[in-house]
């Protein structure tokens, strides 16, 4: 039982955070009435001595529900609202309801009279008055195309009118409907946001205890090791539909893996053809083709279902270092070693070349879904190029930029810096810095990070200490480090359609698939576990 | 603008031309009595049919100007059948004049019924919708003169409708819709404007007919 801390009548407070007793009781009463417990509601009013609504308001509400418009207008003036404009607006919507109900009852002349003698003289919202006049011409049962009366002329239910009025009035006059419920839902949202491990739609949201997911919601256990590459695995990425995984390696090949319904990964195609290590891959917008980029070599385009190489893209002796698709899948972009960006059509015809310092020797290239190109143009600067308008927006950092990742929804950029920090930037609209993540190790190589989990609530990154680091995106807190690899983890990719599936690529020549930690005594697969310390 | 008098005097003007210009203006404006005087003094010939038509047109326009749109419509139908059929915009303007009449005489019920019967069919075509809404808005006010659409009640508006009607009737009878006098003035204005622009003069002194006539 809360003890009243201060007794000052209306301002009596019942908690240390300033919750006023009168307000608290009134919203409880509203909750009871909303649920249909009117007897209990009335009894609460009696026992607490705190009226839910003043008597005038109660009468007013009843008059609205009964459709006694003239009486309700009279009551309106007695309620004690100080603001003249609010009273006028309230009169307007009440009379508007009267107008619609008359029209609906085919009492056209009466409706016209109301419009002329009651509504128009209020001298507010002349535009609406004009619309109402047109509606007289086309009452609900004779909807005439072209006249604005195409909208529903059926009068809204009186309870809805009451809701509109309640939104108009100051909250002390009429308690907003379902206010208590609204406050509770706000609290639940807050709990969900602060839950570090929240990683699924199915969450038990009980009101009885605070919401806290356990660690077991994040993929933290190796469920599969894929040893099929013969050398360091540098890059990997899931397709957008989560059905495939593509990996590329310094063994000059790339592999397409298939993810089956149980989450089991199997080799589908080995893509052979490059003469150099394959530094990265890029999925087509439709997930049916893929680009592979040989390090300072050529770009190859492959068909996923057949594994066939469909086209090779090169520009003389100038090697490519990155590749990307246009959002409609018709053009290929590539960053070249001469710092320009090349654009080919699917058949290999050169369409455009963006010269000047557009990219660096070791650099990522991404395209957004609205066709903008993102690339590192200077040591500490990322540029977002709009090819059509020619405009450029920049992200400037204090440190040298190593690599970056674009979020699946194209709204955020995760930038990896030389000082072992990951910076999250929002790039939609106004470019702004959001937060940073620390803990992983990166000093000599490119180590990549990704977004993932339910509603992209997590950031995961590889690390030179052979571990995977996972942070809660919102709070920036490091929540998990996954050990198992015996070499630097170069790249991670979180399945966009399965928040419980993570893949990692390592210098130890393997790819590991991570899943949820099941305390499963029936599991008979023995996974070699290596202490990740160097 | 300084004129070179030598240019002007070299042009001869035929008396007949001048008379015809004035005549066309008078016929256009239905100044029947003045036409008859001019004919008598100058010996110009005007076909009797034209005079009769002018008389009828005068009556039609008179009806329109006083707001008696129904008679204007009836007589127009009589004089130039199909004219209004093929000129819906004009028909709408005339019907709306009648509507305005009813509003001004405070006959709301009649106005509403008339609108429902005659004006709503126009509502099916998008371009009339806004105009229709303008007129309907008048219904909402007990004192339409004080409403936002008060200009629809004005003499200027009726004049505007009457002018359109006049031009349509003339065109229908294969007569010029604009009198020769009007055309000449317009031409002169445009030519002057172009010349002064071309010669690089300040365009701030736009051609003023008044000034020109005084000089």
């Amino acid at each position: 039982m809360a003890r009243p801390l201060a007794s000052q009548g209306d301002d009596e407070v019942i908690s240390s955070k300033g919750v006023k007793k009168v307000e608290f009781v009134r919203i409880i009463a509203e909750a009871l009435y909303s649920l249909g417990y009117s007897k209990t509601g009335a009894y609460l009013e009696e026992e607490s001595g705190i009226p839910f609504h003043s008597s005038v308001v109660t009468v007013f509400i009843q008059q609205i529900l009964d459709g006694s418009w003239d009486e309700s207008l009279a009551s309106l003036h007695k309620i004690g609202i100080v603001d003249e404009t609010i009273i006028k607006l309230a009169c307007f919507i009440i009379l508007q309801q009267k107008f619609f109900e008359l029209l609906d009852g085919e009492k056209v002349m009466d409706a016209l009279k109301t419009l002329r003698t009651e509504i128009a003289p209020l001298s507010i919202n002349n535009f609406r008055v004009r619309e109402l006049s047109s509606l007289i011409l086309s009452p609900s049962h004779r909807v005439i195309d072209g006249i604005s009366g195409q909208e529903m002329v059926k009068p809204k239910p009186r309870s809805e009118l009451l809701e509109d009025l309640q939104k108009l009035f100051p909250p002390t006059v009429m308690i907003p409907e379902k206010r208590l419920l609204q406050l509770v839902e706000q609290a639940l949202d807050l709990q969900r946001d602060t839950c570090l491990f929240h990683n699924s739609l199915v969450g038990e949201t009980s009101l009885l205890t605070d919401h806290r997911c356990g660690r077991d919601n994040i993929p933290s256990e190796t469920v599969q090791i894929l040893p099929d590459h013969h050398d360091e695995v540098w890059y990997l990425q899931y397709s957008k539909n989560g059905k495939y995984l593509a990996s590329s390696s310094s063994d000059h090949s790339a592999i397409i893996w298939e993810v089956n319904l149980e989450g089991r990964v199997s080799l589908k195609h080995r893509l052979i053809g490059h003469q150099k290590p394959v530094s990265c891959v890029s999925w087509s917008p439709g997930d049916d083709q893929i680009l592979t980029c040989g390090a300072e070599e050529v770009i190859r385009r492959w068909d996923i279902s057949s594994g066939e190489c469909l086209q090779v893209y090169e520009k003389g002796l100038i090697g490519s270092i990155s590749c990307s698709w246009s959002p409609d899948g018709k053009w290929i972009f590539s960053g070249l070693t001469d710092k320009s960006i090349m654009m080919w059509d699917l058949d290999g015809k050169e369409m455009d070349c963006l010269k000047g310092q557009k990219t660096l020797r070791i650099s990522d290239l991404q395209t957004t879904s609205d066709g903008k190109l993102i690339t590192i143009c200077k040591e500490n600067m990322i540029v977002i190029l709009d090819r059509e308008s020619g405009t450029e927006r920049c992200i400037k950092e204090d440190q040298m930029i190593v690599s970056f990742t674009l979020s699946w929804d194209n709204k955020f950029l995760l930038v990896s810096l030389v000082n072992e920090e990951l910076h999250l930037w929002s790039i939609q609209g106004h470019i702004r810095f959001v937060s940073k993540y620390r803990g992983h190790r990166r000093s000599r190589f490119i180590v990549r990070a990704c977004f993932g989990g339910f509603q992209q609530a997590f950031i995961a990154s590889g690390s030179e200490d052979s571990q995977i680091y996972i942070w809660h995106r919102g709070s920036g807190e490091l929540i998990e480090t996954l050990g198992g690899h015996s070499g630097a983890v170069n790249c991670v990719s979180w399945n966009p359609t399965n928040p419980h599936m993570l893949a990692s690529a390592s210098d130890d020549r393997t790819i590991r698939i991570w899943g949820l930690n099941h305390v499963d005594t029936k599991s008979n697969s023995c996974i070699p576990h290596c202490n990740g310390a160097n | 603008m300084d004129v070179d008098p030598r240019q002007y005097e070299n042009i001869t003007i035929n008396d007949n031309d001048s008379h015809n210009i004035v005549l066309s203006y008078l016929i256009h404006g239905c100044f029947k009595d003045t036409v008859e005087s001019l004919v008598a003094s100058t010996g110009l010939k005007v076909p009797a049919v034209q005079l009769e038509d002018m008389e009828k047109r005068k009556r039609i326009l008179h009806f329109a100007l006083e707001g008696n749109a129904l008679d204007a419509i009836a007589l127009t139908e009589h004089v130039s059948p199909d004219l209004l059929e093929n000129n819906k915009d004009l028909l709408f303007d005339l019907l709306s004049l009648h509507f305005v009449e009813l509003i001004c005489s405070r006959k709301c019920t009649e106005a509403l019924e008339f609108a429902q019967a005659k004006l709503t069919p126009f509502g099916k075509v998008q371009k009339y919708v806004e105009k229709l809404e303008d007129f309907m808005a008048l219904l909402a006010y007990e004192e339409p003169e004080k409403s936002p659409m008060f200009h629809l009640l004005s003499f200027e508006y009726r004049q505007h409708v009457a002018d359109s009607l006049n031009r349509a009737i003339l065109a229908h009878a294969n007569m010029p819709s604009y009198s020769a006098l009007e055309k000449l003035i317009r031409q002169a204005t445009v030519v002057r404007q172009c010349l002064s622009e071309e010669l690089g003069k300040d365009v701030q002194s736009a051609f003023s007919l008044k000034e020109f006539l005084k000089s």
Side-chain angles (χ1 to χ4, degrees), chain A residues 453-483:
Chain A
F454 182 62
Q455 291 177 342
Q456 301 204 89
F458 305 101
I459 304 282
S461 174
S463 170
E464 282 171 18
D465 65 7
S466 314
Q467 296 184 95
I468 296 171
Y469 286 75
I470 302 183
W471 296 266
H472 180 247
R473 181 171 136 185
S475 65
E477 222 179 287
L478 179 66
I479 55 175
E480 195 67 86
T481 45
L482 307 180

Side-chain angles (χ1 to χ4, degrees), chain A residues 149-163:
Chain A
Q150 247 182 352
E151 63 189 50
M152 285 290 287
V153 184
K154 270 261 164 265
K156 53 168 90 166
R158 290 175 186 165
S159 53
E160 251 189 67
L161 172 63
L162 211 46
E163 271 176 46

